Amino acid sequence: MEKEITIRKPSDMHLHLRQGDMLKTTVRDASAWFAQGVVMPNTVPAINTPERLISYRDEILSRNPGFKPIMSFKLYSGMSASEVKAMADAGAVLGKLYPAGVTTNSEDGVKSWLDIKETLGAMSDLNLVLSIHCEWPDTFVLDREYEYHREFAAIAKAFPDLRMVFEHISDRRSINFVAGLPDRVAGTITAHHLLLTLDDVIGANMNPHTFCKPVVKGPADREALRQAAFSGDKKFFFGSDSAPHLKAKKESEAAAGGIYSSPVAVPLMTQLFEEKGKLEKLENFMSVYGPAFYSIKPAESCITLVQKKSTIPAVIDGIVPLYAEKTVSWSIKA
Ligand SMILES: [Zn+2]
């Protein structure tokens, strides 16, 4: 008989759904595996007004009313307390801080937290979560995340009630850093950072489909991330950072950063946890700790996975997914 596991339907605590036609693909694929998702605001134009937040949410819901989008807004220098309040009133649960120039559509990001003091104070007062892409620009690429620790610590110190998420942890030094901060600080971990190392990007021929920001790092970093995911520490939970780009945009001389993992992340995580004898930790990591940190209900529905091999497609609607053409040993139970 095939081995099975039933867990609460996962919550993706960091998700890029993109816009326009791509929403058809991204919402379909995310909702197949996830009950809800923290939707990132780095669209063009960015989600930084109440009108845009509401229309983006409506567009997502129109694709699948059964998938709950947890809405964010993008912080900008000089954002006032009343503007933050308007975002909260429109339904935002978190604000996302992109340091200027670190990733897709972040050219207009924030240079220093000193430029958004009023913004952060208002977020703290309104109990909104601050989510941060933690990389300090213009430093050596493999140290950028570590170089951001100082800025993160300064914000945490200045706003002692603010809940903060260190997004997509990739560096082993960040695991210790987050673990050492109070319980109001948590970190998301992606499937690709738990599965890949730099060898998968540049160890053989350069593979743009494994290129993302922050870049995947060494075996010791991956191991530290895995230990955090397996630890049962509620500070560490799943956020896919699934970030699709069309195949042509990845296979170019300026490959865009981002990995499309929504369609495969849950079976791949089940496979990893099972292989490492940690299957009993899977549900909390995928489905419980993230919503708990955000004070959001976890899914009431469940999904069942069976240990049954399938091959991941080479391309899904023009996008090359994580682990394309590879075999995954778990599938959703029909
Ligand atoms: Zn992201």
Side-chain angles (χ1 to χ4, degrees), residues 190-224:
T190 75
H192 49 273
H193 289 103
L194 287 169
L195 294 170
L196 308 176
T197 70
L198 210 42
D199 275 339
D200 298 294
V201 190
I202 52 172
N205 289 334
M206 191 182 70
N207 181 357
H209 300 294
T210 54
F211 171 63
C212 63
K213 292 294 179 70
V215 292
V216 298
K217 301 198 166 57
D221 298 290
R222 183 178 64 179
E223 186 53 30

Side-chain angles (χ1 to χ4, degrees), residues 73 168 209 289 291:
F73 63 90
H168 38 59
H209 300 294
Y289 292 155

Side-chain angles (χ1 to χ4, degrees), residues 240-301:
S240 71
D241 195 18
S242 182
H245 292 284
L246 290 173
K247 190 169 186 276
K249 215 174 153 191
K250 294 291 276 177
E251 296 173 3
S252 76
E253 59 184 303
I259 294 178
Y260 189 48
S261 62
S262 278
V264 295
V266 176
L268 285 173
M269 290 297 88
T270 308
Q271 181 174 321
L272 175 69
F273 278 63
E274 200 267 339
E275 281 171 2
K276 303 296 178 189
K278 302 291 180 188
L279 214 43
E280 81 282 3
K281 305 285 190 187
L282 182 71
E283 184 176 33
N284 280 338
F285 180 68
M286 299 299 294
S287 316
V288 177
Y289 292 155
F293 181 83
Y294 273 86
S295 310
I296 288 168
K297 277 198 198 132
E300 277 168 21
S301 59

Side-chain angles (χ1 to χ4, degrees), residues 62-77:
S62 75
R63 294 290 177 184
N64 182 349
F67 179 77
K68 185 182 163 198
I70 300 160
M71 300 305 291
S72 66
F73 63 90
K74 187 172 167 183
L75 277 70
Y76 53 89
S77 288

Side-chain angles (χ1 to χ4, degrees), residues 28 63 77 111 211 215 230 237 268 311-312:
R28 178 199 65 208
R63 294 290 177 184
S77 288
K111 291 204 168 66
F211 171 63
V215 292
F230 300 153
F237 46 80
L268 285 173
T311 304
I312 296 168

